Amino acid sequence: MIPGFYKDQKLHLLEDPMQQYTVMKVEENAVCVYRWIDDYRHKIERFTDVEGAKKLLGEGWPNKKS
């Protein structure tokens, strides 16, 4: 579990580490992230269950396997 969120923090989904995120904005009761589809495309997602999101995500980006 990560302790908290901050802008530009790199995250990955614990169940699928190849799903990578970057924190876009931290709000009082939500965190907005970019979910990277590839190096240039992303989708914006908003987690309103901040404590739940802390349990789903790990800090850092794993190395891509070729």
Side-chain angles (χ1 to χ4, degrees):
M1 184 169 152
I2 56 176
F5 294 105
Y6 56 88
K7 187 173 176 14
D8 297 328
Q9 179 182 23
K10 293 180 178 181
L11 303 167
H12 65 274
L13 191 63
L14 291 175
E15 290 185 4
D16 181 4
M18 295 315 290
Q19 287 196 37
Q20 300 174 343
Y21 301 82
T22 303
V23 176
M24 180 180 88
K25 177 173 54 170
V26 179
E27 300 173 352
E28 186 175 334
N29 295 315
V31 61
C32 298
V33 298
Y34 297 114
R35 180 172 59 89
W36 293 97
I37 298 165
D38 58 31
D39 290 340
Y40 304 103
R41 295 182 305 147
H42 62 270
K43 179 180 177 184
I44 296 174
E45 294 184 3
R46 186 169 187 259
F47 293 99
T48 54
D49 179 6
V50 176
E51 294 304 314
K54 288 179 185 180
K55 295 175 185 173
L56 292 175
L57 302 167
E59 196 158 12
W61 284 356
N63 294 329
K64 290 184 178 180
K65 295 180 182 176
S66 302

